[in-house]
Amino acid sequence: MGPIWRRRWSERPLWLHFSPAVLVIASICLAVYCVQWVTMGLEFPDGYRFGSLLNFVFGLHWPLLREGCFWQPVSYGFLHGSWLHLALNLATLLF
């Protein structure tokens, strides 16, 4: 039996059936959602929640984009609203 990437398609583990780019994008989406989920409970002294601020700054928000938040057209694609939203997007991406 040779190296794992030279095996026949049916003998490879499931995670090797996907391209590396898809696996990286899926991993980033999962990591960002975990950060969103953890930070939703963090609250600033002024009453703002860190998770809401995270969504405001990294989500697609036209006034901030006009003021120079040039990362928003890329970063908003990694934000998800719920586990179902994340699961459906990852299922679409992976399959």
Side-chain angles (χ1 to χ4, degrees):
M1 209 179 249
I4 198 165
W5 60 86
R6 289 193 179 169
R7 292 183 190 169
R8 287 191 333 212
W9 190 256
S10 61
E11 294 175 351
R12 293 180 182 179
L14 180 62
W15 61 271
L16 274 180
H17 287 257
F18 308 114
S19 73
V22 168
L23 292 175
V24 167
I25 291 171
S27 300
I28 291 172
C29 286
L30 187 60
V32 168
Y33 184 75
C34 289
V35 169
Q36 280 182 274
W37 186 68
V38 167
T39 58
M40 273 301 173
L42 299 176
E43 192 170 325
F44 288 123
D46 300 337
Y48 294 108
R49 294 205 177 271
F50 186 77
S52 299
L53 183 64
L54 184 79
N55 288 335
F56 184 72
V57 173
F58 290 103
L60 198 54
H61 189 68
W62 182 246
L64 286 180
L65 186 61
R66 253 191 326 212
E67 295 297 322
C69 296
F70 55 86
W71 57 83
Q72 287 185 343
V74 174
S75 64
Y76 87 98
F78 296 105
L79 299 174
H80 292 85
S82 67
W83 277 108
L84 180 62
H85 180 199
L86 177 68
L88 291 175
N89 280 1
L90 290 181
T92 303
L93 181 67
L94 294 173
F95 302 104

